[in-house]
Structures are given as C-alpha cells and as structure tokens.
C-alpha cells in the first residue's frame, strides 16, 4: 500500500532500471551459449529473477548481484532436466520464450506461474511448437498453465501468427534454431525485435524481411562476452508522462533504450504536444540508446491505432493518464491485446482512472478518453499488475489531495525502487 499526494512538478536528472525484455533475453541466450557472458545494467525485477531461477533449475551457473550478472553457458544442449517445477511467477516473457527453448530439449519439464499467468493464453505458442513436433500437455489442451513439455526432433515450419507478439515470434524462432530445415514466422505487424538483434550478437543468422523473420536450424550461440542493457523505455514512460502533465516539469532521463519497435510512446508524446528532445543517440549491443529531455507543455488529444500499437502496447495504461490531461478526445483502438496482459488492461485502466475522476470509456479494442479533467485523490488498486499500479501513481501526482494505491508490491516486477525514483524528482 502506498499513499501519494498531488504535486506541482517533477524535475531533475534520473536513470531508469534496465530493459525487461532485453534482460530476459540476455540471461536465456547466455545460458544457451558457449562461453561466459557478463551482463551489466540487468533489471533485478521479479520477472527477470524468475528467468534466472528457472535456468538455475536446469543446471546453469548464474551469479547475480543487483545489476551485475555473470553466466557460464554450456551450449544449447547443456541444460539438464529440471528436478523441480519451473515457476515463472508473473512473467509471460519467461514462460513463452522458455517454451520455445524447451521445445528443443530432449527432456521433460513442468511450467507454472501465478494466478495472472494462469489466465493468460499459452495456445499462441503451444500451437506452433506442437506443429514443429514438441510434445506439450496442459490445462485446456495446452492452452493454459500448468503446462508440461518434452521436446526434441523438431521440424521447421512456416507459421502465420494471428497476433503481433514478440513472445510468439521469439518462441518459434528459438525452436527453429534447433529444428530441421528453415523456420519462417509471419506476423500482422512488426513486434519488438530484441530477440533478432540479440541473436545476431550471439553469432546467429536471422533474416528479417517485410512481414516476418526466417532462421535456419542447427545454429549455435557464441557469447559476445559482455552485454550492456539500456534503461527500459517502458519504465521511463511513467516519468515522461509525469513530466508531460505537471506544469513546470523538466526531466532529463539518461541512457534509455530507443529501439524503434518500442518508441511509440515518444511519437505519441510529441504528437500530443509535449516538449521532448533526444540527445546523444548511440548504439549498444545492436540496440539504439539515447538521453531524453522533456518539459511540460499544453497537450491535445489524438487518435492512436494501427501499426503503432505494438510499439506502445505496454505504455497504454500511462498513455491513458496522459490523455486525461490533454485537451479534447483521445481514441485508442486496435489494442484488443490489452485484454490478455497481466490483467485485462482495458478493464483495469478504466476502473482505476475512473475512480480518480477521469472521463474514460472502454471499447471493444481500446478506450476513449475525454480531457482535460481535474483528477481527485481516491483509493486505487494495482490488481496485481505493475503497470496499472504505476499508471495510478502518475495519475495521483496530478490529482488533488491524497491517493492510496493498494497492492503496490507488484511494481517490483519491472521497476524496483519506483517510488524512491519518483520522490527524487518531486519538487
Ligand atoms: C514482451 C513482449 C510483449 C510485451 C511484454 C514483453 C517481450 O508481449 O507486452 O511486456 O519481452 O517479448 P507480447 O509478445 O504478448 O506482445
């Protein structure tokens, strides 16, 4: 539980914790590679710690202290059959990417997660992995956890994913690396491409083309030695929105990942009128990185839909907060995927921002928000969803009086130290 007072502005210079998507992949690929990998800037949040715990259960030696990780990989087939159940906690990325890896392993494993994971669809990965030859059992015919899998002897497939999902794409690509022949994955819109980029830095050939990706089976991963994880733009988003909506705000956020498949939030902030400048654009381990300066400016409502959606899907809860402080109507559409995130984020965003006085209406595939509204402190709930908890906290900064947010421990999933960071910037 956390109590938050409305504030005037946020100011200063900050960094944010490491990128969650990149941290997961750095651990997984280092475990499967030949050689030792040092990871710097690792996100020590609950989700990525779940990934570490699962690979330790498969016999991989992982030293982790805060943001520093050292992994001695044993090659692709160096994993051992886990004697215990693999518990992914709250992490969809852990379970879906790991299913792709386990589909190639000639042993049996059982995967479970928390009650949110139990509600999230796994058929989107178990269907193509079964087509490749993996033996998968589980609740509702392998559609939900608990799941068990025995892999090996895979055949490459051509798969048309019905959804733009990096987790589906990554699971199929990882299985494809040890399948006979070629594996091709088509997706309706480009999802985040951290897997493709990082695989290349481990010496893998991955071909990206308009509408999909292709890999050849029988490739091995060779450690690049060192991986530097940039700050997570999805975590920076909460601070960016706080600065955009609070008059007099001025923030500089250093070392943020700027992968173009993730920067929808930057496009939206600019289109809504925020005063935002990128500095020092550079590249680390094949991922673009920059410093972001943002100042408050008057905001206007916009329409958000189509190809930009996968580029900002995790930011929609906090974009909804932004929209409550913009003049006019903001329409978010083509975002039905929100219903199968850590919570049904159409329902949870509408419920929680509604409590603070937002004018927000759910639709089939998004929401409609009318601004600008005066928000008033209330009692909100994260529903166990880290991004709902943080979005409510940012809204609380702009609200009059005091807001209580319940179940804030879930924030640890992606942004340990979130409230301390926020307090550092409050004027
Ligand atoms: C992620 C992919 C996205 C995203 C999630 C992290 C990843 O999910 O929402 O937070 O690291 O691959 P989908 O693949 O379901 O779109």
């Amino acid at each position: 539980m956390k109590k938050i007072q409305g504030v005037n502005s946020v100011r200063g210079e900050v960094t944010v914790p490491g990128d969650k998507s990149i941290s997961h992949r750095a651990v997984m690929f280092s475990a499967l590679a030949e050689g030792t990998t040092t990871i710097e800037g690792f996100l020590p949040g609950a989700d990525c710690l779940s990934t570490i715990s699962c690979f330790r259960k498969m016999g991989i030696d992982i030293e982790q202290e805060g943001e520093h990780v050292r992994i001695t990989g044993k090659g692709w087939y160096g994993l051992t059959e886990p004697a215990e159940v693999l518990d992914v906690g709250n992490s969809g990325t852990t379970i879906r990417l790991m299913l792709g890896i386990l589909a190639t392993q000639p042993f049996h494993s059982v995967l479970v997660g928390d009650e949110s994971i139990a509600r999230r669809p796994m058929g989107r990965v178990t269907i193509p992995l079964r087509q490749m030859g993996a033996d998968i059992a589980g609740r509702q015919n392998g559609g939900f956890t608990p799941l068990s899998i025995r892999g090996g002897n895979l055949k490459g497939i051509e798969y048309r994913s019905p959804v733009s999902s990096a987790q589906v794409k990554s699971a199929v690509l990882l299985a494809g690396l040890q399948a006979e022949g070629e594996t091709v994955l088509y997706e309706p819109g480009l999802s985040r491409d951290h897997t493709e980029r990082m695989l290349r830095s481990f010496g893998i050939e991955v071909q990206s083309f308009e509408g999909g990706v292709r890999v050849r089976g029988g490739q091995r991963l060779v450690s690049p030695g060192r991986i530097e994880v940039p700050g997570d733009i999805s975590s920076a988003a909460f601070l960016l929105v706080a600065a955009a909506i609070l008059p007099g705000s001025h923030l500089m956020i250093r070392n943020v990942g700027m992968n173009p498949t993730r920067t929808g939030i930057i496009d939206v902030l600019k289109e809504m009128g925020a005063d935002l400048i990128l500095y020092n654009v550079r590249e680390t381990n094949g991922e673009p990185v920059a410093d972001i300066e943002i100042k408050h400016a008057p905001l206007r409502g916009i329409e958000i839909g189509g190809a930009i959606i996968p580029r900002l899907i995790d930011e929609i809860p906090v974009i909804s907060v932004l929209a409550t402080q913009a003049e006019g109507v903001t329409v978010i559409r083509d975002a039905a995927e929100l219903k199968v995130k850590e919570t049904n984020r159409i329902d949870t965003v509408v419920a929680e921002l509604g409590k603070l006085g937002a004018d927000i209406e759910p639709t089939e595939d998004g929401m409609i928000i009318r601004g600008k509204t005066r928000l008033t402190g209330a009692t909100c709930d994260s529903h166990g969803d880290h991004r709902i908890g943080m979005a409510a906290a940012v809204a609380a900064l702009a609200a009059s009086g005091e807001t209580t947010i319940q179940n804030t421990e879930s924030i640890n999933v992606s942004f340990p130290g979130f409230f301390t960071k926020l307090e550092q910037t409050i004027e």
Side-chain angles (χ1 to χ4, degrees), residues 20-22 24-25 93 96-97 120 124 164-168 170 191-192 194-195 313-314 337 341-342 345 387:
K20 181 156 76 71
S21 293
I22 297 177
H24 281 299
R25 288 159 173 81
T93 306
R96 296 205 180 103
L97 269 62
R120 300 184 67 185
R124 53 179 59 194
S164 294
S165 158
Q167 295 173 356
V168 172
S170 303
S191 64
R192 64 189 65 191
H194 303 297
T195 293
I313 189 73
D314 290 343
E337 274 293 297
K341 292 296 177 188
E342 286 82 332
R345 286 184 177 161
R387 299 200 206 281

Side-chain angles (χ1 to χ4, degrees), residues 2 6 49 67 155 171 178 213 234 248 256 291 304 370 423:
K2 184 81 187 170
L49 295 178
E67 301 176 0
K155 285 198 170 48
Q178 300 304 323
V213 281
S234 296
V256 182
D291 302 333
I304 304 170
R370 292 184 182 80
E423 277 151 24

Side-chain angles (χ1 to χ4, degrees), residues 16-87:
V16 290
D19 187 280
K20 181 156 76 71
S21 293
I22 297 177
S23 295
H24 281 299
R25 288 159 173 81
V27 169
M28 293 182 184
F29 301 173
S30 302
L32 293 166
E34 290 155 33
T36 298
T37 312
T38 312
I39 306 168
E40 298 297 343
F42 172 77
L43 167 66
D47 269 13
C48 300
L49 295 178
S50 295
T51 293
I52 288 188
S53 143
C54 290
F55 279 84
R56 281 185 177 144
K57 286 182 183 170
M58 292 188 281
I60 303 297
D61 188 16
I62 305 178
E63 291 164 39
Q64 182 252 331
E65 237 189 274
E67 301 176 0
H68 311 285
V69 182
R70 195 164 180 271
I71 302 182
T72 306
K74 296 184 179 169
W76 194 280
Y77 294 106
L79 301 181
T80 50
E81 184 167 57
E84 288 170 75
V85 165
L86 301 175
D87 187 348

Side-chain angles (χ1 to χ4, degrees), residues 278-292:
L278 300 182
Y279 292 100
N280 200 8
V281 184
R282 53 204 184 269
E283 206 176 285
T284 331
N285 297 107
E287 291 279 355
V289 180
D291 302 333
I292 313 172

Side-chain angles (χ1 to χ4, degrees), residues 111 126 130 135-149:
L111 295 104
T126 56
R130 274 177 173 158
D135 191 1
I136 300 171
R139 188 162 54 97
Q140 291 192 32
N141 192 25
F144 296 90
T145 57
L147 292 169
S148 74
I149 179 165

